[in-house]
Amino acid sequence: MTSHQTTQTMKPATAAKKLGVYLEATPADFQEGVVSRGELNALQTDPPQWLTDLRRDGPHPRPVVAAKLGVSIAGLARGGVTDALTTEQIDALSQELPSWLRRERATQAEVRKEAARIKEKNAEKIAERAGQARRPRS
């Protein structure tokens, strides 16, 4: 019995997400085909010019826009940003620093601070339990 190894493929939307690019801005042949795991790896290790340009100039998908602005995706929506933005538009927003962006950045900073506090608290509990497990019982 011989085993046939099938090539793993993914939809263009999945590949675009893994590449961190906005699907609608990719070339038509990328949008209309399927992408194999090997092709995705090749795109990541040796990106063609269109991919390099998209990553540099955009338009960028919302997760990338949110990361570049230092806010959450939900924060973008609360700020009224629902479409993909170019690097130029993101830079302009960073320069303008509208009130919603300042507010969302502050919210994001609080979320990160709380996550760090919880992580530290959990690490202390784990260390405490490990210390109790080593002590002989009387």
Side-chain angles (χ1 to χ4, degrees):
M1 182 161 48
T2 60
S3 66
H4 295 284
Q5 191 169 5
T6 58
T7 303
Q8 281 186 322
T9 59
M10 61 192 81
K11 294 177 182 176
T14 303
K17 188 174 184 178
K18 289 179 181 281
L19 292 169
V21 295
Y22 187 57
L23 177 63
E24 286 76 13
T26 61
D29 60 329
F30 181 87
Q31 292 180 37
E32 295 164 1
V34 293
V35 180
S36 72
R37 175 72 57 193
E39 290 169 332
L40 179 68
N41 290 339
L43 287 169
Q44 289 173 324
T45 56
D46 187 24
Q49 191 61 48
W50 65 264
L51 182 53
T52 303
D53 293 345
L54 268 180
R55 286 177 168 166
R56 183 186 61 239
D57 304 325
H60 303 286
R62 287 183 304 143
V64 174
V65 173
K68 285 180 179 265
L69 289 173
V71 299
S72 66
I73 295 172
L76 283 180
R78 286 190 292 269
V81 178
T82 56
D83 296 327
L85 298 179
T86 64
T87 300
E88 189 176 306
Q89 291 169 314
I90 293 168
D91 291 344
L93 270 175
S94 291
Q95 292 297 317
E96 290 173 24
L97 208 59
S99 61
W100 70 265
L101 183 54
R102 284 193 303 273
R103 188 172 53 251
E104 291 301 330
R105 283 181 173 173
T107 299
Q108 193 71 4
E110 287 298 317
V111 167
R112 286 187 186 117
K113 191 183 332 179
E114 180 64 8
R117 185 190 68 78
I118 291 169
K119 185 177 179 179
E120 184 178 315
K121 185 177 178 182
N122 289 340
E124 287 172 3
K125 283 183 183 178
I126 290 169
E128 189 176 295
R129 282 189 219 134
Q132 288 176 351
R134 290 189 189 123
R135 284 190 227 133
R137 295 184 183 192
S138 339

